Amino acid sequence: MTSRLSPWLTLVVMLLTLPVLAAEAQRTGTWGAYVKEQQLQLSLQPKDRPDSHHGFSAPLADFQGLSTAEGSSAPFKLVREAGTFDFEGRFKDGQGVGTWRFTPDASFTKKLGELGIPKPDADEQFLLASVNVGPQRVQALAAVGQKVITVDELVQVGIFNVTPEYVRAMAAEGYPKLTIEQLVSCRIHNVTPERIQGLAAMGFKGLPLDSLLAMSIHGVTPDFVREMRGLGFKDLSADDLVAMRIHGVTPAFVKEMRDAGYENATAEDFVSMRIHGIDSIFVRSMSKKRK
């Protein structure tokens, strides 16, 4: 089970927010920003599309000449492989505003072409600069066995932060031959080495990727497994646990229904109750009617 909708939908939304490139190579506009966890959170508004905003963030250390001190007005820039963002403006009360200009790198498309990736259009080059990916990431991923072949794949790699380190970490946990699409899906659904290790410690080692993704998507965490085992469910499969999460069979619900008289109900029984809208309130109301 791989998730195609999320990355593609994200890509479409981001591309729709980009301005249509004017005849000149550069594009300009206004910006707003604030600092959060050593990152500058930016919102760019293109001059020729004032109703459009394009947001991204970057580590403070990536900027050249940046000062967010009160009243600071020095120009600063963000240099990417795909091009350079130049900023002018002022910071006050932890927030900044001003104007920006993006200048695409003239050699960027040629370098991608040499790696077998089709030439990105102007909007795609702007987006690749925003998510900070280019030939260096393509080459680094190729070195760990991951071949990026389209601009769309490269955009997704940037948006969802598929790095060589992540590829190696997933391989070390038993998933050595994932495709770019699978790696993107894992990133989207927060499949981390730590999550894999935690589930393995609970007896779920070497899960098929589809099962691992399902558990991550539906919030089957080691803590959830531990709580359910504490309630007597010792031999639940990955599918059983996913079904319980999908239908809202929580530890609290199990305790509630046991207090209502269902001490011997199985995991399947509890899922069935949830599907059919049976809870302790329903049970009490039926008891009153019988009386």
Side-chain angles (χ1 to χ4, degrees):
M1 179 188 69
T2 56
S3 174
R4 296 183 62 86
L5 178 60
S6 294
W8 283 107
L9 183 58
T10 301
L11 172 61
V12 170
V13 170
M14 292 186 75
L15 286 176
L16 287 176
T17 64
L18 296 178
V20 177
L21 192 67
E24 64 272 15
Q26 294 183 336
R27 63 179 68 189
T28 62
T30 58
W31 62 271
Y34 63 93
V35 177
K36 181 179 180 181
E37 297 177 352
Q38 296 302 304
Q39 299 259 333
L40 189 64
Q41 309 286 330
L42 282 157
S43 177
L44 307 185
Q45 185 177 41
K47 183 178 180 180
D48 56 352
R49 283 185 61 183
D51 59 339
S52 175
H53 292 268
H54 177 63
F56 67 96
S57 64
L60 296 178
D62 285 4
F63 293 88
Q64 298 177 15
L66 173 64
S67 173
T68 59
E70 188 76 11
S72 174
S73 60
F76 59 99
K77 65 175 54 182
L78 180 64
V79 179
R80 301 298 203 195
E81 287 180 274
T84 299
F85 295 92
D86 287 285
F87 300 92
E88 292 185 357
R90 182 178 296 274
F91 282 87
K92 183 179 180 181
D93 297 329
Q95 298 185 343
V97 294
T99 59
W100 60 271
R101 180 179 71 256
F102 175 70
T103 305
D105 185 288
S107 65
F108 181 75
T109 57
K110 180 182 177 182
K111 292 175 182 177
L112 285 181
E114 292 170 350
L115 295 170
I117 297 177
K119 180 180 179 180
D121 62 28
D123 284 340
E124 289 170 333
Q125 186 163 346
F126 180 85
L127 181 55
L128 290 168
S130 301
V131 298
N132 193 26
V133 287
Q136 290 181 19
R137 181 72 64 87
V138 175
Q139 292 172 315
L141 287 172
V144 293
Q146 294 295 330
K147 186 172 178 60
V148 178
I149 60 176
T150 69
V151 173
D152 289 344
E153 283 185 345
L154 186 55
V155 168
Q156 291 180 55
V157 160
I159 292 173
F160 300 111
N161 196 29
V162 177
T163 64
E165 293 76 18
Y166 182 68
V167 175
R168 284 193 290 266
M170 291 296 289
E173 296 302 328
Y175 301 90
K177 297 182 179 180
L178 301 182
T179 65
I180 289 291
E181 183 182 7
Q182 289 172 325
L183 288 162
V184 167
S185 292
C186 287
R187 275 301 208 190
I188 290 171
H189 299 300
N190 196 32
V191 177
T192 63
E194 294 75 19
R195 180 185 289 270
I196 296 171
Q197 292 164 10
L199 291 172
M202 300 302 296
F204 296 98
K205 188 173 183 178
L207 288 168
L209 184 64
D210 286 354
S211 295
L212 182 60
L213 280 166
M215 294 177 87
S216 297
I217 289 168
H218 298 292
V220 178
T221 63
D223 285 342
F224 181 73
V225 177
R226 194 174 294 109
E227 287 183 287
M228 285 302 175
R229 287 180 178 174
L231 291 170
F233 299 109
K234 304 293 185 182
D235 300 311
L236 296 177
S237 68
D239 288 344
D240 291 333
L241 289 159
V242 168
M244 295 175 89
R245 288 294 291 175
I246 288 174
H247 297 292
V249 179
T250 63
F253 178 74
V254 171
K255 293 173 184 177
E256 171 189 322
M257 294 308 293
R258 284 177 174 174
D259 288 344
Y262 292 87
E263 295 91 347
N264 298 318
T266 65
E268 186 177 356
D269 292 333
F270 285 118
V271 169
S272 182
M273 290 177 194
R274 274 303 202 192
I275 290 173
H276 296 290
I278 298 173
D279 57 16
S280 61
I281 296 174
F282 176 82
V283 172
R284 285 195 295 269
S285 68
M286 294 301 294
S287 297
K288 290 180 181 178
K289 287 181 181 180
R290 293 192 189 98
K291 294 177 181 179

